[in-house]
């Protein structure tokens, strides 16, 4: 259990492109959407933990040749999201719409869940990370221990992603004016593009 918790926090705590987008999405929508998105990220980490615990020896080497294409796919998704978010923010600001935050929700809760699940699954380093832990002697041997490892990794990842979603919801409440929404949407789009560029640099 301790190995799974440490592994889950180890992969979740660094706030990269997925964490940044999670905070920005929650700030622009609602806590409910953010919670579903956070659970989507944690589900991907849980799936990769299960794959690594069950077949890490076989799959980790096979993923290395496709790291490049997966990285480019992730970059395309991120840049597309950033462009769409910035375009919508500019159009909304120009129209001077004064809608509630809930009315402006661009995605539903389940769409956020599956979108973040897919975005996180594009990161092959997660399964390599978990496979290295399992193969490196993290104490995961029997079937029961592997189940506990996977559940603990999911719980650790979910707890951190929910903290990020909560931060995004708080940020959204603090910056609900028309100009605040425009600035935060553009800033998040620029940051997401920067993270995408850094991913391929």
């Amino acid at each position: 259990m301790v190995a799974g918790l440490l592994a889950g926090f180890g992969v979740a705590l660094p706030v990269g492109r997925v964490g940044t987008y999670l905070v920005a999405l929650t700030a622009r929508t609602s806590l409910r959407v953010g919670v579903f998105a956070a659970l989507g990220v944690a589900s991907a980490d849980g799936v990769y933990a299960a794959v690594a615990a069950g077949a890490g020896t076989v799959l980790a080497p096979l993923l290395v040749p496709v790291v490049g294409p997966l990285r480019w796919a992730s970059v395309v998704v991120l840049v597309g999201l950033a462009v769409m978010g910035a375009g919508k923010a500019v159009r909304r600001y120009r129209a001077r719409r004064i809608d509630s935050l809930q009315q402006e929700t661009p995605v539903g809760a389940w769409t956020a869940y599956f979108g973040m699940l897919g975005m996180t699954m594009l990161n092959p380093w997660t399964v390599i990370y978990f496979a290295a832990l399992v193969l490196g002697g993290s104490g995961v041997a029997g079937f029961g221990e592997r189940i506990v490892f996977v559940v603990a990794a999911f719980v650790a990842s979910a707890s951190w992603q929910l903290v990020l979603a909560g931060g995004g919801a708080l940020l959204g409440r603090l910056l609900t004016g028309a100009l605040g929404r425009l600035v935060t949407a553009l800033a998040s789009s620029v940051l997401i593009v920067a993270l995408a560029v850094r991913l391929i640099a």
Side-chain angles (χ1 to χ4, degrees):
M1 183 177 69
V2 172
L5 289 172
L6 292 175
F9 281 124
V11 76
L13 282 176
V15 179
R17 60 196 186 281
V18 172
T20 301
Y21 183 70
L22 172 60
V23 172
L25 176 66
T26 311
R28 293 195 312 266
T29 59
S30 67
L31 180 59
R32 180 174 181 270
V33 171
V35 166
F36 272 75
L39 293 177
V41 176
S43 296
D45 288 343
V47 167
Y48 272 153
V51 169
T57 310
V58 177
L59 290 180
L62 297 177
L63 283 173
V64 174
V66 297
V67 165
L70 287 177
R71 181 178 291 137
W72 278 104
S74 182
V75 168
V76 169
V77 169
L78 286 170
V79 171
L81 290 170
V83 170
M84 289 190 321
K88 179 175 180 179
V90 170
R91 288 191 304 273
R92 183 179 62 218
Y93 182 74
R94 286 182 178 168
R96 299 291 199 276
R97 292 187 302 163
I98 312 294
D99 295 326
S100 69
L101 194 61
Q102 186 64 34
Q103 289 172 324
E104 291 187 348
T105 300
V107 294
W110 284 108
T111 303
Y113 174 85
F114 287 111
M116 293 302 283
L117 174 66
M119 185 184 299
T120 308
M121 293 291 284
L122 287 172
N123 184 5
W125 291 114
T126 305
V127 73
I128 294 172
Y129 166 83
F130 280 117
L133 287 177
V134 173
L135 298 175
S138 61
V140 182
F143 179 76
E145 290 181 350
R146 290 174 190 266
I147 295 294
V148 172
F149 175 83
V150 171
V151 171
F154 170 80
V155 168
S157 176
S159 65
W160 177 248
Q161 305 306 333
L162 290 171
V163 167
L164 293 180
L170 178 62
L171 180 63
R173 291 183 184 277
L174 292 175
L175 299 170
T176 55
L179 182 59
R181 292 177 193 169
L182 175 66
V183 170
T184 54
L186 293 178
S188 70
S189 294
V190 169
L191 185 55
I192 291 169
V193 170
L195 290 168
V197 170
R198 184 181 174 199
L199 184 65
I200 58 174

PDB file of all heavy atoms in Angstrom, residues 114-150:
ATOM      1  N   PHE A 114     -13.712  11.757 -19.745  1.00  0.00           N
ATOM      2  CA  PHE A 114     -13.112  10.973 -20.820  1.00  0.00           C
ATOM      3  C   PHE A 114     -12.035  11.760 -21.568  1.00  0.00           C
ATOM      4  O   PHE A 114     -11.059  11.188 -22.058  1.00  0.00           O
ATOM      5  CB  PHE A 114     -14.195  10.464 -21.775  1.00  0.00           C
ATOM      6  CG  PHE A 114     -15.020   9.360 -21.190  1.00  0.00           C
ATOM      7  CD1 PHE A 114     -16.349   9.565 -20.858  1.00  0.00           C
ATOM      8  CD2 PHE A 114     -14.461   8.119 -20.942  1.00  0.00           C
ATOM      9  CE1 PHE A 114     -17.111   8.557 -20.299  1.00  0.00           C
ATOM     10  CE2 PHE A 114     -15.212   7.092 -20.385  1.00  0.00           C
ATOM     11  CZ  PHE A 114     -16.539   7.314 -20.056  1.00  0.00           C
ATOM     12  N   GLY A 115     -12.197  13.094 -21.656  1.00  0.00           N
ATOM     13  CA  GLY A 115     -11.172  13.910 -22.292  1.00  0.00           C
ATOM     14  C   GLY A 115      -9.860  13.870 -21.526  1.00  0.00           C
ATOM     15  O   GLY A 115      -8.783  13.688 -22.106  1.00  0.00           O
ATOM     16  N   MET A 116      -9.933  14.013 -20.206  1.00  0.00           N
ATOM     17  CA  MET A 116      -8.716  13.980 -19.394  1.00  0.00           C
ATOM     18  C   MET A 116      -8.145  12.571 -19.309  1.00  0.00           C
ATOM     19  O   MET A 116      -6.927  12.392 -19.248  1.00  0.00           O
ATOM     20  CB  MET A 116      -9.004  14.522 -17.992  1.00  0.00           C
ATOM     21  CG  MET A 116      -9.349  15.996 -17.966  1.00  0.00           C
ATOM     22  SD  MET A 116      -8.061  17.059 -18.680  1.00  0.00           S
ATOM     23  CE  MET A 116      -6.874  17.071 -17.352  1.00  0.00           C
ATOM     24  N   LEU A 117      -9.017  11.569 -19.323  1.00  0.00           N
ATOM     25  CA  LEU A 117      -8.544  10.184 -19.362  1.00  0.00           C
ATOM     26  C   LEU A 117      -7.720   9.957 -20.626  1.00  0.00           C
ATOM     27  O   LEU A 117      -6.600   9.435 -20.573  1.00  0.00           O
ATOM     28  CB  LEU A 117      -9.729   9.224 -19.325  1.00  0.00           C
ATOM     29  CG  LEU A 117      -9.424   7.732 -19.508  1.00  0.00           C
ATOM     30  CD1 LEU A 117      -8.622   7.202 -18.339  1.00  0.00           C
ATOM     31  CD2 LEU A 117     -10.713   6.936 -19.673  1.00  0.00           C
ATOM     32  N   GLY A 118      -8.264  10.400 -21.774  1.00  0.00           N
ATOM     33  CA  GLY A 118      -7.546  10.226 -23.032  1.00  0.00           C
ATOM     34  C   GLY A 118      -6.249  11.014 -23.087  1.00  0.00           C
ATOM     35  O   GLY A 118      -5.222  10.505 -23.547  1.00  0.00           O
ATOM     36  N   MET A 119      -6.291  12.259 -22.596  1.00  0.00           N
ATOM     37  CA  MET A 119      -5.090  13.086 -22.619  1.00  0.00           C
ATOM     38  C   MET A 119      -3.981  12.471 -21.765  1.00  0.00           C
ATOM     39  O   MET A 119      -2.809  12.449 -22.153  1.00  0.00           O
ATOM     40  CB  MET A 119      -5.411  14.501 -22.116  1.00  0.00           C
ATOM     41  CG  MET A 119      -4.247  15.469 -22.221  1.00  0.00           C
ATOM     42  SD  MET A 119      -4.596  17.094 -21.518  1.00  0.00           S
ATOM     43  CE  MET A 119      -5.965  17.632 -22.520  1.00  0.00           C
ATOM     44  N   THR A 120      -4.355  11.942 -20.607  1.00  0.00           N
ATOM     45  CA  THR A 120      -3.355  11.347 -19.719  1.00  0.00           C
ATOM     46  C   THR A 120      -2.839  10.028 -20.282  1.00  0.00           C
ATOM     47  O   THR A 120      -1.658   9.703 -20.133  1.00  0.00           O
ATOM     48  CB  THR A 120      -3.957  11.117 -18.319  1.00  0.00           C
ATOM     49  OG1 THR A 120      -4.553  12.341 -17.871  1.00  0.00           O
ATOM     50  CG2 THR A 120      -2.891  10.709 -17.319  1.00  0.00           C
ATOM     51  N   MET A 121      -3.712   9.289 -20.963  1.00  0.00           N
ATOM     52  CA  MET A 121      -3.281   8.018 -21.543  1.00  0.00           C
ATOM     53  C   MET A 121      -2.275   8.207 -22.682  1.00  0.00           C
ATOM     54  O   MET A 121      -1.574   7.276 -23.050  1.00  0.00           O
ATOM     55  CB  MET A 121      -4.490   7.234 -22.071  1.00  0.00           C
ATOM     56  CG  MET A 121      -5.448   6.759 -20.996  1.00  0.00           C
ATOM     57  SD  MET A 121      -4.798   5.468 -19.944  1.00  0.00           S
ATOM     58  CE  MET A 121      -4.920   4.050 -21.016  1.00  0.00           C
ATOM     59  N   LEU A 122      -2.206   9.429 -23.230  1.00  0.00           N
ATOM     60  CA  LEU A 122      -1.233   9.704 -24.291  1.00  0.00           C
ATOM     61  C   LEU A 122       0.192   9.794 -23.762  1.00  0.00           C
ATOM     62  O   LEU A 122       1.137   9.927 -24.533  1.00  0.00           O
ATOM     63  CB  LEU A 122      -1.584  11.016 -25.008  1.00  0.00           C
ATOM     64  CG  LEU A 122      -2.791  10.972 -25.931  1.00  0.00           C
ATOM     65  CD1 LEU A 122      -3.143  12.367 -26.418  1.00  0.00           C
ATOM     66  CD2 LEU A 122      -2.542  10.040 -27.105  1.00  0.00           C
ATOM     67  N   ASN A 123       0.347   9.743 -22.444  1.00  0.00           N
ATOM     68  CA  ASN A 123       1.674   9.887 -21.839  1.00  0.00           C
ATOM     69  C   ASN A 123       2.252   8.505 -21.533  1.00  0.00           C
ATOM     70  O   ASN A 123       1.956   7.919 -20.494  1.00  0.00           O
ATOM     71  CB  ASN A 123       1.577  10.718 -20.560  1.00  0.00           C
ATOM     72  CG  ASN A 123       2.934  10.979 -19.947  1.00  0.00           C
ATOM     73  OD1 ASN A 123       3.961  10.618 -20.519  1.00  0.00           O
ATOM     74  ND2 ASN A 123       2.945  11.579 -18.788  1.00  0.00           N
ATOM     75  N   PRO A 124       3.103   7.960 -22.406  1.00  0.00           N
ATOM     76  CA  PRO A 124       3.625   6.606 -22.192  1.00  0.00           C
ATOM     77  C   PRO A 124       4.616   6.533 -21.043  1.00  0.00           C
ATOM     78  O   PRO A 124       4.895   5.458 -20.529  1.00  0.00           O
ATOM     79  CB  PRO A 124       4.315   6.289 -23.522  1.00  0.00           C
ATOM     80  CG  PRO A 124       4.730   7.629 -24.041  1.00  0.00           C
ATOM     81  CD  PRO A 124       3.648   8.580 -23.615  1.00  0.00           C
ATOM     82  N   TRP A 125       5.157   7.675 -20.641  1.00  0.00           N
ATOM     83  CA  TRP A 125       6.125   7.646 -19.546  1.00  0.00           C
ATOM     84  C   TRP A 125       5.494   7.202 -18.247  1.00  0.00           C
ATOM     85  O   TRP A 125       6.172   6.722 -17.348  1.00  0.00           O
ATOM     86  CB  TRP A 125       6.783   9.014 -19.376  1.00  0.00           C
ATOM     87  CG  TRP A 125       7.687   9.337 -20.526  1.00  0.00           C
ATOM     88  CD1 TRP A 125       7.524  10.330 -21.443  1.00  0.00           C
ATOM     89  CD2 TRP A 125       8.874   8.632 -20.921  1.00  0.00           C
ATOM     90  NE1 TRP A 125       8.535  10.287 -22.383  1.00  0.00           N
ATOM     91  CE2 TRP A 125       9.378   9.259 -22.072  1.00  0.00           C
ATOM     92  CE3 TRP A 125       9.546   7.528 -20.407  1.00  0.00           C
ATOM     93  CZ2 TRP A 125      10.529   8.820 -22.722  1.00  0.00           C
ATOM     94  CZ3 TRP A 125      10.697   7.092 -21.056  1.00  0.00           C
ATOM     95  CH2 TRP A 125      11.162   7.739 -22.197  1.00  0.00           C
ATOM     96  N   THR A 126       4.175   7.330 -18.121  1.00  0.00           N
ATOM     97  CA  THR A 126       3.507   6.912 -16.895  1.00  0.00           C
ATOM     98  C   THR A 126       3.624   5.403 -16.712  1.00  0.00           C
ATOM     99  O   THR A 126       3.958   4.927 -15.626  1.00  0.00           O
ATOM    100  CB  THR A 126       2.024   7.333 -16.915  1.00  0.00           C
ATOM    101  OG1 THR A 126       1.946   8.734 -17.152  1.00  0.00           O
ATOM    102  CG2 THR A 126       1.348   7.011 -15.601  1.00  0.00           C
ATOM    103  N   VAL A 127       3.344   4.635 -17.777  1.00  0.00           N
ATOM    104  CA  VAL A 127       3.449   3.181 -17.642  1.00  0.00           C
ATOM    105  C   VAL A 127       4.903   2.751 -17.468  1.00  0.00           C
ATOM    106  O   VAL A 127       5.197   1.813 -16.723  1.00  0.00           O
ATOM    107  CB  VAL A 127       2.784   2.452 -18.825  1.00  0.00           C
ATOM    108  CG1 VAL A 127       3.590   2.560 -20.088  1.00  0.00           C
ATOM    109  CG2 VAL A 127       2.527   0.991 -18.462  1.00  0.00           C
ATOM    110  N   ILE A 128       5.831   3.451 -18.125  1.00  0.00           N
ATOM    111  CA  ILE A 128       7.245   3.119 -17.948  1.00  0.00           C
ATOM    112  C   ILE A 128       7.668   3.397 -16.510  1.00  0.00           C
ATOM    113  O   ILE A 128       8.408   2.627 -15.892  1.00  0.00           O
ATOM    114  CB  ILE A 128       8.109   3.905 -18.957  1.00  0.00           C
ATOM    115  CG1 ILE A 128       7.793   3.421 -20.385  1.00  0.00           C
ATOM    116  CG2 ILE A 128       9.589   3.748 -18.664  1.00  0.00           C
ATOM    117  CD1 ILE A 128       8.435   4.251 -21.473  1.00  0.00           C
ATOM    118  N   TYR A 129       7.164   4.504 -15.957  1.00  0.00           N
ATOM    119  CA  TYR A 129       7.449   4.865 -14.566  1.00  0.00           C
ATOM    120  C   TYR A 129       6.956   3.773 -13.620  1.00  0.00           C
ATOM    121  O   TYR A 129       7.700   3.289 -12.762  1.00  0.00           O
ATOM    122  CB  TYR A 129       6.767   6.205 -14.261  1.00  0.00           C
ATOM    123  CG  TYR A 129       6.681   6.572 -12.799  1.00  0.00           C
ATOM    124  CD1 TYR A 129       7.753   7.168 -12.152  1.00  0.00           C
ATOM    125  CD2 TYR A 129       5.511   6.341 -12.080  1.00  0.00           C
ATOM    126  CE1 TYR A 129       7.665   7.519 -10.813  1.00  0.00           C
ATOM    127  CE2 TYR A 129       5.410   6.689 -10.746  1.00  0.00           C
ATOM    128  CZ  TYR A 129       6.492   7.277 -10.115  1.00  0.00           C
ATOM    129  OH  TYR A 129       6.396   7.624  -8.798  1.00  0.00           O
ATOM    130  N   PHE A 130       5.698   3.351 -13.777  1.00  0.00           N
ATOM    131  CA  PHE A 130       5.153   2.321 -12.901  1.00  0.00           C
ATOM    132  C   PHE A 130       5.859   0.987 -13.112  1.00  0.00           C
ATOM    133  O   PHE A 130       6.120   0.253 -12.154  1.00  0.00           O
ATOM    134  CB  PHE A 130       3.647   2.164 -13.125  1.00  0.00           C
ATOM    135  CG  PHE A 130       2.819   3.211 -12.419  1.00  0.00           C
ATOM    136  CD1 PHE A 130       2.046   4.099 -13.135  1.00  0.00           C
ATOM    137  CD2 PHE A 130       2.830   3.304 -11.043  1.00  0.00           C
ATOM    138  CE1 PHE A 130       1.278   5.060 -12.492  1.00  0.00           C
ATOM    139  CE2 PHE A 130       2.073   4.264 -10.387  1.00  0.00           C
ATOM    140  CZ  PHE A 130       1.293   5.145 -11.111  1.00  0.00           C
ATOM    141  N   ALA A 131       6.172   0.660 -14.364  1.00  0.00           N
ATOM    142  CA  ALA A 131       6.864  -0.600 -14.634  1.00  0.00           C
ATOM    143  C   ALA A 131       8.235  -0.622 -13.964  1.00  0.00           C
ATOM    144  O   ALA A 131       8.637  -1.633 -13.389  1.00  0.00           O
ATOM    145  CB  ALA A 131       7.010  -0.805 -16.141  1.00  0.00           C
ATOM    146  N   ALA A 132       8.936   0.512 -14.012  1.00  0.00           N
ATOM    147  CA  ALA A 132      10.247   0.587 -13.377  1.00  0.00           C
ATOM    148  C   ALA A 132      10.133   0.375 -11.870  1.00  0.00           C
ATOM    149  O   ALA A 132      10.971  -0.290 -11.253  1.00  0.00           O
ATOM    150  CB  ALA A 132      10.896   1.938 -13.673  1.00  0.00           C
ATOM    151  N   LEU A 133       9.091   0.934 -11.263  1.00  0.00           N
ATOM    152  CA  LEU A 133       8.892   0.747  -9.827  1.00  0.00           C
ATOM    153  C   LEU A 133       8.620  -0.714  -9.491  1.00  0.00           C
ATOM    154  O   LEU A 133       9.180  -1.270  -8.548  1.00  0.00           O
ATOM    155  CB  LEU A 133       7.725   1.607  -9.331  1.00  0.00           C
ATOM    156  CG  LEU A 133       7.973   3.109  -9.235  1.00  0.00           C
ATOM    157  CD1 LEU A 133       6.689   3.810  -8.811  1.00  0.00           C
ATOM    158  CD2 LEU A 133       9.082   3.412  -8.238  1.00  0.00           C
ATOM    159  N   VAL A 134       7.734  -1.337 -10.273  1.00  0.00           N
ATOM    160  CA  VAL A 134       7.382  -2.724 -10.009  1.00  0.00           C
ATOM    161  C   VAL A 134       8.580  -3.634 -10.232  1.00  0.00           C
ATOM    162  O   VAL A 134       8.873  -4.512  -9.417  1.00  0.00           O
ATOM    163  CB  VAL A 134       6.198  -3.160 -10.894  1.00  0.00           C
ATOM    164  CG1 VAL A 134       5.938  -4.657 -10.761  1.00  0.00           C
ATOM    165  CG2 VAL A 134       4.945  -2.375 -10.510  1.00  0.00           C
ATOM    166  N   LEU A 135       9.290  -3.404 -11.334  1.00  0.00           N
ATOM    167  CA  LEU A 135      10.428  -4.260 -11.657  1.00  0.00           C
ATOM    168  C   LEU A 135      11.628  -3.974 -10.766  1.00  0.00           C
ATOM    169  O   LEU A 135      12.487  -4.820 -10.580  1.00  0.00           O
ATOM    170  CB  LEU A 135      10.831  -4.064 -13.124  1.00  0.00           C
ATOM    171  CG  LEU A 135       9.764  -4.435 -14.147  1.00  0.00           C
ATOM    172  CD1 LEU A 135      10.229  -4.073 -15.539  1.00  0.00           C
ATOM    173  CD2 LEU A 135       9.425  -5.899 -14.047  1.00  0.00           C
ATOM    174  N   GLY A 136      11.674  -2.765 -10.219  1.00  0.00           N
ATOM    175  CA  GLY A 136      12.815  -2.380  -9.395  1.00  0.00           C
ATOM    176  C   GLY A 136      12.730  -2.852  -7.963  1.00  0.00           C
ATOM    177  O   GLY A 136      13.519  -2.441  -7.124  1.00  0.00           O
ATOM    178  N   GLY A 137      11.756  -3.677  -7.662  1.00  0.00           N
ATOM    179  CA  GLY A 137      11.672  -4.213  -6.319  1.00  0.00           C
ATOM    180  C   GLY A 137      10.916  -3.326  -5.359  1.00  0.00           C
ATOM    181  O   GLY A 137      11.390  -3.055  -4.255  1.00  0.00           O
ATOM    182  N   SER A 138       9.740  -2.871  -5.746  1.00  0.00           N
ATOM    183  CA  SER A 138       8.945  -2.017  -4.873  1.00  0.00           C
ATOM    184  C   SER A 138       8.128  -2.829  -3.870  1.00  0.00           C
ATOM    185  O   SER A 138       7.280  -2.290  -3.177  1.00  0.00           O
ATOM    186  CB  SER A 138       7.989  -1.154  -5.716  1.00  0.00           C
ATOM    187  OG  SER A 138       7.111  -1.984  -6.447  1.00  0.00           O
ATOM    188  N   GLY A 139       8.370  -4.128  -3.796  1.00  0.00           N
ATOM    189  CA  GLY A 139       7.643  -4.958  -2.841  1.00  0.00           C
ATOM    190  C   GLY A 139       6.336  -5.505  -3.397  1.00  0.00           C
ATOM    191  O   GLY A 139       5.552  -6.083  -2.665  1.00  0.00           O
ATOM    192  N   VAL A 140       6.080  -5.343  -4.690  1.00  0.00           N
ATOM    193  CA  VAL A 140       4.844  -5.830  -5.301  1.00  0.00           C
ATOM    194  C   VAL A 140       5.131  -7.185  -5.931  1.00  0.00           C
ATOM    195  O   VAL A 140       5.795  -7.271  -6.954  1.00  0.00           O
ATOM    196  CB  VAL A 140       4.329  -4.838  -6.364  1.00  0.00           C
ATOM    197  CG1 VAL A 140       3.027  -5.338  -6.954  1.00  0.00           C
ATOM    198  CG2 VAL A 140       4.150  -3.469  -5.753  1.00  0.00           C
ATOM    199  N   ALA A 141       4.636  -8.250  -5.293  1.00  0.00           N
ATOM    200  CA  ALA A 141       4.957  -9.584  -5.787  1.00  0.00           C
ATOM    201  C   ALA A 141       3.697 -10.372  -6.115  1.00  0.00           C
ATOM    202  O   ALA A 141       3.432 -10.678  -7.265  1.00  0.00           O
ATOM    203  CB  ALA A 141       5.811 -10.325  -4.751  1.00  0.00           C
ATOM    204  N   GLY A 142       2.910 -10.724  -5.107  1.00  0.00           N
ATOM    205  CA  GLY A 142       1.731 -11.556  -5.321  1.00  0.00           C
ATOM    206  C   GLY A 142       0.570 -10.788  -5.921  1.00  0.00           C
ATOM    207  O   GLY A 142       0.588  -9.559  -6.026  1.00  0.00           O
ATOM    208  N   PHE A 143      -0.476 -11.537  -6.299  1.00  0.00           N
ATOM    209  CA  PHE A 143      -1.654 -10.936  -6.926  1.00  0.00           C
ATOM    210  C   PHE A 143      -2.326  -9.933  -5.996  1.00  0.00           C
ATOM    211  O   PHE A 143      -2.690  -8.835  -6.399  1.00  0.00           O
ATOM    212  CB  PHE A 143      -2.643 -12.035  -7.329  1.00  0.00           C
ATOM    213  CG  PHE A 143      -3.890 -11.512  -7.966  1.00  0.00           C
ATOM    214  CD1 PHE A 143      -3.879 -11.067  -9.280  1.00  0.00           C
ATOM    215  CD2 PHE A 143      -5.081 -11.452  -7.244  1.00  0.00           C
ATOM    216  CE1 PHE A 143      -5.031 -10.574  -9.881  1.00  0.00           C
ATOM    217  CE2 PHE A 143      -6.238 -10.961  -7.824  1.00  0.00           C
ATOM    218  CZ  PHE A 143      -6.205 -10.523  -9.143  1.00  0.00           C
ATOM    219  N   GLY A 144      -2.497 -10.318  -4.734  1.00  0.00           N
ATOM    220  CA  GLY A 144      -3.120  -9.424  -3.757  1.00  0.00           C
ATOM    221  C   GLY A 144      -2.341  -8.141  -3.571  1.00  0.00           C
ATOM    222  O   GLY A 144      -2.919  -7.051  -3.487  1.00  0.00           O
ATOM    223  N   GLU A 145      -1.022  -8.260  -3.514  1.00  0.00           N
ATOM    224  CA  GLU A 145      -0.177  -7.071  -3.360  1.00  0.00           C
ATOM    225  C   GLU A 145      -0.272  -6.165  -4.578  1.00  0.00           C
ATOM    226  O   GLU A 145      -0.240  -4.939  -4.457  1.00  0.00           O
ATOM    227  CB  GLU A 145       1.278  -7.485  -3.110  1.00  0.00           C
ATOM    228  CG  GLU A 145       1.493  -8.109  -1.746  1.00  0.00           C
ATOM    229  CD  GLU A 145       2.947  -8.482  -1.508  1.00  0.00           C
ATOM    230  OE1 GLU A 145       3.731  -8.428  -2.485  1.00  0.00           O
ATOM    231  OE2 GLU A 145       3.285  -8.822  -0.373  1.00  0.00           O
ATOM    232  N   ARG A 146      -0.389  -6.737  -5.743  1.00  0.00           N
ATOM    233  CA  ARG A 146      -0.525  -5.935  -6.964  1.00  0.00           C
ATOM    234  C   ARG A 146      -1.838  -5.159  -6.966  1.00  0.00           C
ATOM    235  O   ARG A 146      -1.890  -4.002  -7.378  1.00  0.00           O
ATOM    236  CB  ARG A 146      -0.430  -6.833  -8.210  1.00  0.00           C
ATOM    237  CG  ARG A 146       0.964  -7.384  -8.442  1.00  0.00           C
ATOM    238  CD  ARG A 146       0.990  -8.384  -9.587  1.00  0.00           C
ATOM    239  NE  ARG A 146       2.267  -9.073  -9.636  1.00  0.00           N
ATOM    240  CZ  ARG A 146       3.300  -8.693 -10.392  1.00  0.00           C
ATOM    241  NH1 ARG A 146       3.197  -7.627 -11.164  1.00  0.00           N
ATOM    242  NH2 ARG A 146       4.421  -9.366 -10.369  1.00  0.00           N
ATOM    243  N   ILE A 147      -2.920  -5.797  -6.504  1.00  0.00           N
ATOM    244  CA  ILE A 147      -4.216  -5.112  -6.416  1.00  0.00           C
ATOM    245  C   ILE A 147      -4.115  -3.925  -5.455  1.00  0.00           C
ATOM    246  O   ILE A 147      -4.576  -2.815  -5.759  1.00  0.00           O
ATOM    247  CB  ILE A 147      -5.322  -6.091  -5.948  1.00  0.00           C
ATOM    248  CG1 ILE A 147      -5.546  -7.188  -6.986  1.00  0.00           C
ATOM    249  CG2 ILE A 147      -6.620  -5.340  -5.657  1.00  0.00           C
ATOM    250  CD1 ILE A 147      -6.111  -6.697  -8.296  1.00  0.00           C
ATOM    251  N   VAL A 148      -3.529  -4.158  -4.289  1.00  0.00           N
ATOM    252  CA  VAL A 148      -3.380  -3.085  -3.307  1.00  0.00           C
ATOM    253  C   VAL A 148      -2.514  -1.957  -3.871  1.00  0.00           C
ATOM    254  O   VAL A 148      -2.819  -0.770  -3.690  1.00  0.00           O
ATOM    255  CB  VAL A 148      -2.770  -3.638  -1.989  1.00  0.00           C
ATOM    256  CG1 VAL A 148      -2.418  -2.505  -1.030  1.00  0.00           C
ATOM    257  CG2 VAL A 148      -3.740  -4.601  -1.334  1.00  0.00           C
ATOM    258  N   PHE A 149      -1.452  -2.317  -4.590  1.00  0.00           N
ATOM    259  CA  PHE A 149      -0.565  -1.322  -5.203  1.00  0.00           C
ATOM    260  C   PHE A 149      -1.344  -0.435  -6.177  1.00  0.00           C
ATOM    261  O   PHE A 149      -1.235   0.795  -6.147  1.00  0.00           O
ATOM    262  CB  PHE A 149       0.572  -2.041  -5.937  1.00  0.00           C
ATOM    263  CG  PHE A 149       1.486  -1.134  -6.707  1.00  0.00           C
ATOM    264  CD1 PHE A 149       2.529  -0.477  -6.087  1.00  0.00           C
ATOM    265  CD2 PHE A 149       1.299  -0.946  -8.072  1.00  0.00           C
ATOM    266  CE1 PHE A 149       3.380   0.361  -6.798  1.00  0.00           C
ATOM    267  CE2 PHE A 149       2.127  -0.112  -8.800  1.00  0.00           C
ATOM    268  CZ  PHE A 149       3.174   0.539  -8.154  1.00  0.00           C
ATOM    269  N   VAL A 150      -2.159  -1.051  -7.038  1.00  0.00           N
ATOM    270  CA  VAL A 150      -2.912  -0.304  -8.044  1.00  0.00           C
ATOM    271  C   VAL A 150      -3.945   0.608  -7.387  1.00  0.00           C
ATOM    272  O   VAL A 150      -4.069   1.790  -7.740  1.00  0.00           O
ATOM    273  CB  VAL A 150      -3.595  -1.274  -9.040  1.00  0.00           C
ATOM    274  CG1 VAL A 150      -4.557  -0.533  -9.956  1.00  0.00           C
ATOM    275  CG2 VAL A 150      -2.536  -2.005  -9.869  1.00  0.00           C
TER     276      VAL A 150
END
